[in-house]
Amino acid sequence: MSRIGKQPIAVPSGVTVNAQDGVFKVKGPKGELTVPYNNELTIRQDGDTLLVERPSDAQKHRALHGLTRTLVANAVQGVSEGFTINLELRGVGFRAKMSGKALEMNIGYSHPVVIEPPAGVSFAVPEPTKIDVTGIDKQLVGQVAANVRKVRKPDAYHGKGVRFVGQQIALKAGKAGATGGKGKK
């Protein structure tokens, strides 16, 4: 039995769920999400918990069991609590600010970079060097955060750029032979 797939999913109060015909719908205080799933699996509500069950131990069903449970759990958590990914800017003069709903970053280019958030995602800039990406869809929040980071990835020699909070960058050594001499004597 799948260790992840057999775990029950707690449904908080104020969240309504409906699973039928391969579509799982969840509605909560932060919004509404729809998750498609293989209709050979069953999602059963037992009081204030959800259980994802598979019909057999076939390889296909085993593969989908844990995946479906995780997608359903992420949807339930998203509509009740939401997801936030924190980014930080490292570099001299690197800063970010809000321009309406859009994120405007000055990160070493000759022009500011403006990123419009897609529907369901919002940006916040608590400090000029910190960016928060927030939304209810975990996959979309992660993709938008990755796109923001991609504008200027941390450089391997100095570590300057946009990084996830807590991310460690393995810095490369500079030129080892730079001693100022013309060569060996």
Side-chain angles (χ1 to χ4, degrees):
M1 190 74 176
S2 169
R3 289 185 184 147
I4 292 176
K6 69 181 178 181
Q7 295 175 357
I9 303 165
V11 179
S13 60
V15 174
T16 58
V17 297
N18 182 16
Q20 46 180 257
D21 300 330
V23 177
F24 176 77
K25 295 180 182 177
V26 59
K27 190 173 188 178
K30 294 213 178 245
E32 185 175 340
L33 286 174
T34 304
V35 177
Y37 68 95
N38 189 317
N39 56 4
E40 293 178 23
L41 300 175
T42 58
I43 299 176
R44 182 170 54 89
Q45 187 165 5
D46 185 22
D48 60 348
T49 61
L50 291 173
L51 295 171
V52 178
E53 298 168 339
R54 64 181 186 218
S56 71
D57 277 341
Q59 202 278 331
K60 175 184 174 184
H61 295 143
R62 288 194 324 255
L64 291 172
H65 191 204
L67 170 71
T68 303
R69 188 255 176 222
T70 301
L71 293 175
V72 168
N74 286 343
V76 169
Q77 183 182 349
V79 298
S80 61
E81 301 169 21
F83 295 99
T84 300
I85 294 181
N86 303 318
L87 300 167
E88 64 183 352
L89 305 177
R90 289 258 180 103
V92 176
F94 287 16
R95 62 187 181 279
K97 67 179 182 177
M98 295 299 298
S99 177
K101 289 185 177 184
L103 176 68
E104 184 177 319
M105 297 187 296
N106 293 320
I107 49 176
Y109 296 126
S110 62
H111 59 283
V113 178
V114 178
I115 300 175
E116 293 285 338
V121 174
S122 63
F123 294 121
V125 181
E127 297 176 25
T129 59
K130 306 261 187 229
I131 301 169
D132 296 339
V133 182
T134 307
I136 62 172
D137 186 351
K138 187 173 186 176
Q139 188 274 331
L140 184 60
V141 169
Q143 185 62 55
V144 170
N147 290 344
V148 170
R149 181 180 178 271
K150 194 178 358 176
V151 171
R152 184 120 193 176
K153 288 184 182 177
D155 126 351
Y157 293 97
H158 305 288
K160 299 187 316 184
V162 181
R163 65 173 74 186
F164 297 110
V165 169
Q167 179 182 6
Q168 297 294 319
I169 305 297
L171 296 180
K172 292 182 179 179
K175 286 190 173 183
T179 59
K182 293 256 181 188
K184 292 184 180 180
K185 291 188 177 190

